[in-house]
Amino acid sequence: MADSPYVIAVTAESFRRVVVEGSHERLVLVDFWADWCAPCRMLMPVLASLADAYGGKLLVAKVNTEEEQALAVEYGIRSLPTVQLFKDGRPIDQFMGALPEPQVREFLERHLPRESDRLLAQARGLLNAGDRAGAARIIEQAREAEPENARVRLVEAEIEAAAGNVQGAQAILDDLPRELADDPEVARLKGQVGFAAIQVDSPPEATLVSRLEADPKDSDARHRLAAHLVARGDFEGALEQLLELMKRDRAFADDAGRKGMLMIFAMLGGQGDLVTRYRSRMLNALY
């Protein structure tokens, strides 16, 4: 272990600093092992070799479970070797057993930052600053760097949506590979584009509010108002309007109130106080 600067033994005292806090700076691979474990000894040189190969992008932290039993219990270690990958302060993936180097490398490549990911972050920064043309140029670079990175298409959809091309953005999202089907970022973007489509040719928000004051049964106005509220980040206001729409008019646009609420829940990651409160209110209204 002393031969590599990227492999370090950790204890209960150093675990938080090295692993939990350190994983906010780079990926930390925690190897839970023991002296009596022959597969552990087989895996050690594989992990050390990969740590050196990635040159600082990855730290291997070794936990001797005979000496650090409390850590093994805390992280649910039931067999050795068990290797957990930490990112942003928490374990995000793991494998068990002495895998050969190609399999361990494949495991790591799913999580290590890539050049195209750096470019995508740069493109999003430009897009948020209103520079769509600059973002599009960076996206071309990302596509050339790693054509297989499906997330390039996500940022392309964001660029199309920002340009007002809702149909173009929706077409990109409909054509994403299956591997991204359950990705939270995809859910957020699909919701954003879906509500943007409702806003197309909509009157201003103030006009919609006036329409509802004159006629609370105006389902179209309520639906469009919810889309305006989502666009400016007022998710609670939008959920309130969609819940009212669901209560008043389930038939409107094929149950648009309920479906809109579900879309916002997905945009918010399916958790949090707002989601919990409005999911409960939705279920109470339904049943």
Side-chain angles (χ1 to χ4, degrees):
M1 289 187 291
D3 294 337
S4 173
Y6 308 121
V7 180
I8 183 172
V10 295
T11 64
E13 288 72 25
S14 61
F15 191 89
R16 179 166 186 81
R17 174 178 56 82
V18 174
V19 177
V20 178
E21 296 176 3
S23 68
H24 288 279
E25 304 297 327
R26 58 180 167 180
L27 292 177
V28 180
L29 196 65
V30 182
D31 177 21
F32 291 91
W33 67 286
D35 282 327
W36 52 262
C37 171
C40 295
R41 294 195 297 272
M42 294 171 58
L43 183 62
M44 285 179 182
V46 172
L47 299 183
S49 174
L50 287 171
D52 285 335
Y54 285 116
K57 293 180 180 178
L58 173 74
L59 178 71
V60 174
K62 303 187 68 60
V63 176
N64 186 333
T65 56
E66 290 185 302
E67 299 174 356
E68 305 296 339
Q69 294 181 15
L71 281 176
V73 171
E74 180 178 355
Y75 287 96
I77 307 305
R78 294 182 175 83
S79 66
L80 297 178
T82 292
V83 180
Q84 294 186 345
L85 187 65
F86 279 68
K87 180 181 180 181
D88 296 330
R90 63 184 181 86
I92 59 170
D93 206 348
Q94 72 172 22
F95 68 85
M96 291 176 283
L99 299 184
E101 182 170 326
Q103 290 187 34
V104 179
R105 185 182 291 273
E106 181 182 353
F107 169 85
L108 291 171
E109 290 292 344
R110 295 200 300 265
H111 302 286
L112 282 165
R114 300 184 287 182
E115 173 63 14
S116 58
D117 290 332
R118 183 188 67 79
L119 292 170
L120 291 183
Q122 185 178 347
R124 279 202 172 95
L126 291 171
L127 186 60
N128 292 336
D131 185 359
R132 292 198 304 271
R137 287 194 297 270
I138 298 297
I139 285 298
E140 286 299 325
Q141 295 178 32
R143 187 185 295 107
E144 291 175 7
E146 291 183 76
E148 74 282 1
N149 189 348
R151 291 188 176 279
V152 171
R153 297 291 285 161
L154 283 182
V155 184
E156 287 179 332
E158 291 187 57
I159 292 173
E160 294 297 331
N165 183 9
V166 175
Q167 289 185 337
Q170 190 64 63
I172 292 173
L173 292 173
D174 289 342
D175 194 42
L176 288 175
R178 185 173 299 175
E179 67 193 67
L180 292 177
D182 298 324
D183 192 288
E185 189 177 352
V186 174
R188 177 192 62 78
L189 191 52
K190 282 186 174 182
Q192 177 185 329
V193 171
F195 283 109
I198 299 168
Q199 277 188 282
V200 173
D201 298 327
S202 270
E205 184 176 331
T207 301
L208 296 170
V209 171
S210 297
R211 281 173 52 180
L212 281 173
E213 288 174 349
D215 180 11
K217 295 180 181 180
D218 189 339
S219 296
D220 179 71
R222 195 174 298 280
H223 192 216
R224 292 181 184 275
L225 176 59
H228 276 283
L229 294 171
V230 168
R232 61 180 175 86
D234 184 1
F235 293 109
E236 183 165 10
L239 284 167
E240 193 65 38
Q241 293 297 334
L242 291 167
L243 178 63
E244 187 65 21
L245 175 61
M246 187 192 79
K247 290 177 178 179
R248 287 177 176 272
D249 192 355
R250 292 289 302 278
F252 176 77
D254 192 23
D255 204 6
R258 182 183 64 85
K259 290 181 177 178
M261 293 184 75
L262 293 175
M263 192 179 296
I264 292 177
F265 295 160
M267 292 176 72
L268 296 175
Q271 57 188 356
D273 175 68
L274 193 62
V275 173
T276 300
R277 284 193 289 114
Y278 276 90
R279 181 178 280 129
S280 176
R281 293 181 63 186
M282 182 184 77
L283 293 174
N284 286 338
L286 286 171
Y287 305 111

